[in-house]
Amino acid sequence: MLRKEKWLNMKPKFYFYSLFVSSLFVFLNSSCTSQLNVKTKSIRPLVSPQKSEHPDAVEIAPPQMDRISTANFLNSRFGGQSSAITQKLILPFSSDFGGRCDPKTNPNLGCDESEASALAQSKLNLTRFALTLRACEGILGSSDGDNAVRNAGKLALGINTDLPTMGKNEINAAWNLFFPGKTISKTVENSFLTLVSQSKEQTKSMSANDQILDQWRFTFLTLCKSPEWINLQ
Amino acid sequence: MKKISRRHLIKGVGSLGLLTGLDSLGVFSKILRSSLMNSAIAQDASGTKKNLVTIALMGAPPRWTWDLCANKNARTNPGLFSIISTGFGGYNGFDYRTFDVGGVQYPELWKFTAPLSSGDRPIQDLIKNHLNIRGVDSGSDGHPDAAPTVLASRNGAYSIDGMLGSLSDRVLPSVLISAVTSEGGTEKFLRDAYKAPNGMGAKLISLRTSNTLHQNVETGTESPLLRLSGAFNNRDSNTPNVYGSSENLTSTFLSRRLAMTQFVDATLDAMKAEAVLKNLSTGNTYELLKKSQKTLNDGLSSSIAEFETKRLKYSKLIQDVFQRSKTNLPGITDFSEARNGSAFSNSFFNDEGKNSARLNNENKNYDLRQSLQMSEGSLRISFWAEAFATIETLLTQKLANSISVAINFPSVTGVYVGGNGLRIIHDAHNLGAIPHLVGYSLFYAVLSSCILELSVSLEASQKGLWNDTVVYVNGDFGRNPSPSQDSPAEGNGGSDHERKAQTASIFSGCINGPISVGNIDANSYGSGGTLTQVGSQKLQLIPIHVANTLATILDTEQPVRNAAESLVVKKSDGTVVLRPDVEKGKVA
């Protein structure tokens, strides 16, 4: 009885393994010849796409936000006075951020001769990063910085009340504001937790409200400084 | 055997991990890949220590008083100087002399002594660092058409300045300076010519955007260097030591920023490590971010202040060259004395008959030399001074190492021909022989003096910097020194485009010059076109020869692998010499 029970207990596992192996076999066969894998979202091809040997084929970097989308990205997250900062530090620099001038739709962007000939997409350059760093610090560190922190925090959490102290959930929410749809890795999450705990440690003498704002501010500052959110892919 | 680069190795290891799908190997692959990637980034970040300054003479001024005829035996061939020797009407027989320097004949102009900031120096000093490639077929002779081929070699190939920019780790990897007075489409030329496979963005600045630039420079609002690097200059005068002050950052934020910096950086490092593991292309962006941050911290105020000092230095030099040229412009002054009169006064035009009808009455007493004493404002010498000051500052401050400048020669006003202003400009087809000779001799005296000043200043700033810097003077097409076909009957015109007469002058402290390559075809009045022995073949020199030669000097890869090898080699001590199997330049 015991043996039978054991056998019976094993049976589903056996069935499972059989099913898995046969599915794998079907998948391996179908991945090249049928469209099964197209419909199965989680299945990845085992053979990477062949590299193009065409003489005109080139390797490209991921497309990046141009000056207008960069400014919009920051304005939409931080609100308040951020548009004044991006108007000064992002929008005029078409050659660094890319983004042609369209006098019809953007008459206020100073469509001069140099902008008209600006590249639609600019290659990565140090100037672009310097301007973005300055914009991030200007938005979060000027006299209107507290409002920018509150606006972005509330947007991240989807709340209309005061910001809570930061923990894992809040870090993930802030992350999603800059990298929607992309999961934060454990290592990076831990690094943000360290940053927040340091902020807590250093701001003990501040009011509770300022302590919380400080945690959010430096979390957003780090995210804003990180160069990856400008990638469109 | 083909060399495998680190990037290829990294990609190979990455692909191996992807293909196998084995966790353990995948992890190993990731670790190895991460380690190699960091190493590759470090390698890329170290960039190249070589600098390239390309000076594009827009409109292709005739170069026979400078480098087109810098060749042995040139003097014995009257055809080479036909425009000078036959274009003067009654001045037939005039002999514009050349002289020997290290086995190469140089036009008389090279005896000019430049009034440098450090004292007088003969421009001949440049010859020992001169590589001259003549008779290059630019493939086209049109203004905008041929321009990009000079820098980009050929359609589809990357430009040498772009390729160097790709290796750069400087704040401004590539800088394009449009320093022309009126030439349309120069910005487009610079952008079209600049091509780089992985290059960071080239920064274009047009000195032409303001006609009152000089005044603006003095107020500090329009300094070219500020416009180029202004993004890094966010300190105000009250708090020059704090970066970010111009953004009105609160004092609380500034102190908190200081306290939190290491934790912000640590988190960014963690994000970078993650990016490197996931995607090879984004890891490098964190390096750029770091450099930007460092430059913001360090500040550029001193560089910007230094620019102004240099601008004044070059401005004075150019004016002094003009002043000195009035009485001593080798080749021209001698000629004047030989004829026992002034070759520059209206008597020249009138006495010789051919030109008298072309002058308006009010200009009969006109002296060309007087017009050439150009004031800074009227002739916009500021463009030149600003261009060279920008170059020197960018190089000495290590802000850029790939700089392309488009310059031209401003119009000389005050002379009228047939009611129209006589314009000594680059592209002068029917200018007349004397204005050509005088105007362009002066032009090249200024250019040579500025390059010499640059070389001396670079070396004074840092020993070996001139060895690591290459100045490449090109044009957008070639020009025939024979009389213009537009006015052959007069025989005193200017000269026409000539695609096979492209000349590339390359100067660097590492060049063991003078080196002259490329033959001149005497029968077609120096239009180039004769074949040059390169290795086992006789070849027409083309821009790819020039680009690949520059690549050798700059220690970078050739933009074209399967054609037109470099004409020079590097010795073990780093000096550049002519390849032993390449024929020295000669007159055919």
Side-chain angles (χ1 to χ4, degrees):
Chain A
M1 182 66 190
L2 187 65
R3 279 186 183 177
K4 192 179 178 184
E5 276 179 6
K6 193 176 181 184
W7 182 83
L8 281 172
N9 283 339
M10 286 175 68
K11 200 175 178 183
K13 273 191 182 175
F14 173 75
Y15 284 147
F16 173 75
Y17 283 124
S18 304
L19 189 64
F20 174 75
V21 170
S22 56
S23 300
L24 189 63
F25 183 73
V26 168
F27 164 67
L28 283 171
N29 277 328
S30 63
S31 62
C32 296
T33 55
S34 78
Q35 294 188 345
L36 267 178
N37 60 329
V38 175
K39 293 174 185 171
T40 314
K41 200 177 173 184
S42 60
I43 293 176
R44 298 172 65 187
L46 290 180
V47 178
S48 58
Q50 209 168 23
K51 203 172 176 182
S52 174
E53 295 295 332
H54 193 285
D56 293 339
V58 294
E59 285 184 30
I60 57 166
Q64 283 125 16
M65 292 181 189
D66 65 11
R67 57 179 175 150
I68 296 163
S69 47
T70 303
N72 287 343
F73 182 93
L74 294 173
N75 295 345
S76 64
R77 275 142 186 85
F78 294 113
Q81 297 298 311
S82 60
S83 58
I85 301 271
T86 54
Q87 186 79 34
K88 176 187 162 194
L89 291 172
I90 308 287
L91 289 175
F93 297 91
S94 55
S95 62
D96 300 300
F97 287 86
R100 286 183 193 277
C101 181
D102 181 355
K104 288 180 181 172
T105 54
N106 297 294
N108 298 322
L109 292 183
C111 301
D112 65 12
E113 188 185 344
S114 63
E115 283 182 292
S117 62
L119 299 170
Q121 286 270 330
S122 178
K123 288 178 178 174
L124 283 178
N125 55 80
L126 296 187
T127 309
R128 175 186 185 134
F129 285 119
L131 290 164
T132 309
L133 286 172
R134 288 175 59 184
C136 293
E137 296 200 338
I139 290 169
L140 293 163
S142 60
S143 56
D144 192 54
D146 288 359
N147 279 334
V149 173
R150 283 192 201 99
N151 290 340
K154 287 177 183 178
L155 191 64
L157 295 172
I159 59 172
N160 203 18
T161 53
D162 289 345
L163 294 179
T165 189
M166 290 204 89
K168 270 188 187 179
N169 289 341
E170 287 72 23
I171 286 170
N172 273 274
W175 172 272
N176 280 326
L177 203 58
F178 278 79
F179 302 103
K182 293 181 181 174
T183 312
I184 188 170
S185 76
K186 210 70 193 164
T187 318
V188 174
E189 188 184 69
N190 285 337
S191 191
F192 272 106
L193 282 170
T194 307
L195 181 142
V196 167
S197 90
Q198 280 300 322
S199 168
K200 286 176 183 169
E201 186 65 29
Q202 292 176 5
T203 55
K204 279 177 181 170
S205 59
M206 292 185 181
S207 69
N209 186 44
D210 285 346
Q211 284 183 40
I212 291 171
L213 281 178
D214 196 81
Q215 296 157 26
W216 283 91
R217 190 188 320 276
F218 284 97
T219 300
F220 280 134
L221 184 65
T222 309
L223 289 165
C224 188
K225 281 184 167 187
S226 76
E228 287 193 82
W229 56 264
I230 63 171
N231 291 331
L232 292 170
Q233 285 177 356
Chain B
M1 186 182 162
K2 194 180 177 208
K3 194 178 166 187
I4 298 172
S5 71
R6 288 184 187 193
R7 281 195 183 277
H8 286 123
L9 186 59
I10 294 161
K11 286 178 182 175
V13 173
S15 305
L16 186 67
L18 191 67
L19 284 170
T20 56
L22 295 176
D23 277 354
S24 55
L25 190 54
V27 169
F28 171 73
S29 153
K30 276 186 174 184
I31 293 168
L32 181 59
R33 194 174 161 194
S34 170
S35 151
L36 285 169
M37 187 63 211
N38 283 334
S39 166
I41 287 171
Q43 186 190 41
D44 287 354
S46 68
T48 172
K49 66 173 187 171
K50 295 286 185 182
N51 306 305
L52 173 64
V53 177
T54 302
I55 298 175
L57 305 178
M58 299 304 292
R63 292 163 79 145
W64 10 270
T65 61
W66 199 55
D67 62 355
L68 180 57
C69 293
N71 204 341
K72 196 169 184 180
N73 301 323
R75 185 187 169 192
T76 62
N77 192 323
L80 286 173
F81 296 97
S82 62
I83 192 169
I84 301 171
S85 60
T86 66
F88 290 3
Y91 281 25
N92 280 336
F94 162 68
D95 183 11
Y96 186 87
R97 294 172 188 277
T98 59
F99 65 103
D100 183 284
V101 183
V104 177
Q105 292 291 313
Y106 277 82
E108 196 85 344
L109 179 67
W110 284 92
K111 288 183 176 172
F112 184 74
T113 300
L116 302 189
S117 59
S118 54
D120 280 3
R121 288 265 308 253
I123 60 171
Q124 267 189 65
D125 284 359
L126 277 176
I127 291 177
K128 66 175 185 289
N129 297 140
H130 186 205
L131 164 60
N132 191 20
I133 308 175
R134 305 164 312 153
V136 177
D137 186 351
S138 60
S140 172
D141 70 355
H143 284 273
D145 303 334
T149 68
V150 176
L151 277 169
S153 306
R154 182 173 286 181
N155 274 349
Y158 297 117
S159 68
I160 193 70
D161 61 338
M163 289 184 69
L164 198 71
S166 295
L167 297 174
S168 177
D169 63 342
R170 305 293 163 88
V171 170
L172 303 163
S174 294
V175 174
L176 313 175
I177 304 172
S178 173
V180 300
T181 50
S182 60
E183 189 80 32
T186 301
E187 289 90 347
K188 187 175 183 307
F189 150 68
L190 287 166
R191 281 205 186 282
D192 285 352
Y194 180 87
K195 293 179 182 175
N198 302 302
M200 287 172 275
K203 193 100 170 127
L204 172 69
I205 182 169
S206 176
L207 302 184
R208 183 171 62 81
T209 51
S210 169
N211 285 335
T212 54
L213 181 65
H214 180 55
Q215 284 137 25
N216 289 334
V217 165
E218 286 173 343
T219 64
T221 56
E222 285 288 338
S223 157
L225 201 73
L226 189 61
R227 281 159 60 197
L228 277 169
S229 58
F232 296 93
N233 191 53
N234 65 339
R235 290 159 161 80
D236 66 21
S237 54
N238 296 323
T239 50
N241 296 322
V242 181
Y243 109 79
S245 51
S246 63
E247 263 77 69
N248 297 319
L249 303 180
T250 64
S251 57
T252 310
F253 175 77
L254 288 171
S255 69
R256 292 294 301 129
R257 183 179 74 180
L258 190 65
M260 291 296 287
T261 294
Q262 61 173 307
F263 304 106
V264 170
D265 288 350
T267 308
L268 287 170
D269 284 344
M271 293 176 76
K272 175 191 168 186
E274 198 71 23
V276 169
L277 287 177
K278 284 180 181 168
N279 187 336
L280 286 170
S281 64
T282 55
N284 195 38
T285 58
Y286 284 88
E287 291 299 315
L288 299 181
L289 176 75
K290 267 190 181 175
K291 282 175 201 156
S292 280
Q293 182 77 67
K294 184 176 184 314
T295 311
L296 280 169
N297 284 328
D298 295 347
L300 292 176
S301 306
S302 60
S303 302
I304 290 163
E306 195 177 306
F307 162 80
E308 181 57 13
T309 310
K310 296 185 192 309
R311 185 191 69 79
L312 292 171
K313 177 179 75 174
Y314 282 102
S315 185
K316 181 175 185 309
L317 171 65
I318 294 167
Q319 289 183 74
D320 287 350
V321 171
F322 275 108
Q323 193 61 30
R324 184 166 289 186
S325 300
K326 182 182 170 188
T327 54
N328 183 11
L329 194 57
I332 306 301
T333 347
D334 292 350
F335 168 58
S336 171
E337 288 162 3
R339 293 298 304 168
N340 195 27
S342 169
F344 312 101
S345 68
N346 71 313
S347 63
F348 160 72
F349 294 96
N350 289 325
D351 290 350
E352 303 307 325
K354 285 199 173 185
N355 293 292
S356 58
R358 301 176 70 185
L359 288 172
N360 285 348
N361 288 336
E362 66 266 29
N363 293 305
K364 275 186 177 174
N365 295 322
Y366 176 73
D367 185 326
L368 185 58
R369 288 175 301 179
Q370 294 303 320
S371 268
L372 294 178
Q373 296 173 52
M374 307 164 185
S375 69
E376 185 169 354
S378 65
L379 275 178
R380 300 174 192 168
I381 288 170
S382 56
F383 286 116
W384 281 51
E386 284 162 20
F388 273 92
T390 306
I391 292 167
E392 191 185 317
T393 310
L394 292 174
L395 294 181
T396 54
Q397 296 292 315
K398 302 200 181 307
L399 296 173
N401 57 359
S402 174
I403 307 165
S404 294
V405 190
I407 57 175
N408 69 356
F409 193 58
S411 304
V412 176
T413 55
V415 184
Y416 296 90
V417 176
N420 297 316
L422 172 65
R423 298 176 69 219
I424 297 184
I425 57 173
H426 280 182
D427 189 18
H429 287 258
N430 299 305
L431 188 61
I434 280 287
H436 250 193
L437 183 63
V438 176
Y440 296 125
S441 292
L442 178 61
F443 173 89
Y444 288 114
V446 171
L447 181 64
S448 305
S449 300
C450 286
I451 295 174
L452 186 61
E453 175 74 55
L454 177 68
S455 71
V456 171
S457 300
L458 291 180
E459 197 60 24
S461 158
Q462 183 194 322
K463 192 166 172 50
L465 189 53
W466 175 232
N467 275 14
D468 289 336
T469 302
V470 175
V471 175
Y472 162 42
V473 183
N474 66 27
D476 45 356
F477 52 87
R479 186 169 287 279
N480 196 333
S482 61
S484 169
Q485 293 305 302
D486 289 347
S487 56
E490 291 182 71
N492 58 0
S495 64
D496 290 329
H497 302 183
E498 171 52 58
R499 68 171 231 212
K500 289 187 176 180
Q502 187 85 30
T503 313
S505 260
I506 301 169
F507 301 92
S508 172
C510 68
I511 293 172
N512 191 5
I515 303 173
S516 177
V517 197
N519 299 325
I520 292 291
D521 182 355
N523 295 321
S524 61
Y525 303 112
S527 67
T530 61
L531 303 181
T532 302
Q533 189 80 37
V534 180
S536 60
Q537 292 177 295
K538 281 224 171 232
L539 299 169
Q540 168 66 56
L541 298 184
I542 54 177
I544 302 174
H545 281 110
V546 180
N548 285 346
T549 298
L550 282 166
T552 300
I553 303 172
L554 292 162
D555 294 331
T556 186
E557 290 179 62
Q558 296 189 166
V560 178
R561 292 197 189 98
N562 61 344
E565 299 165 71
S566 166
L567 301 169
V568 299
V569 288
K570 269 201 163 173
K571 291 165 66 178
S572 56
D573 63 357
T575 54
V576 173
V577 294
L578 189 65
R579 256 173 57 188
D581 56 349
V582 172
E583 177 187 10
K584 288 181 181 172
K586 65 180 183 185
V587 176

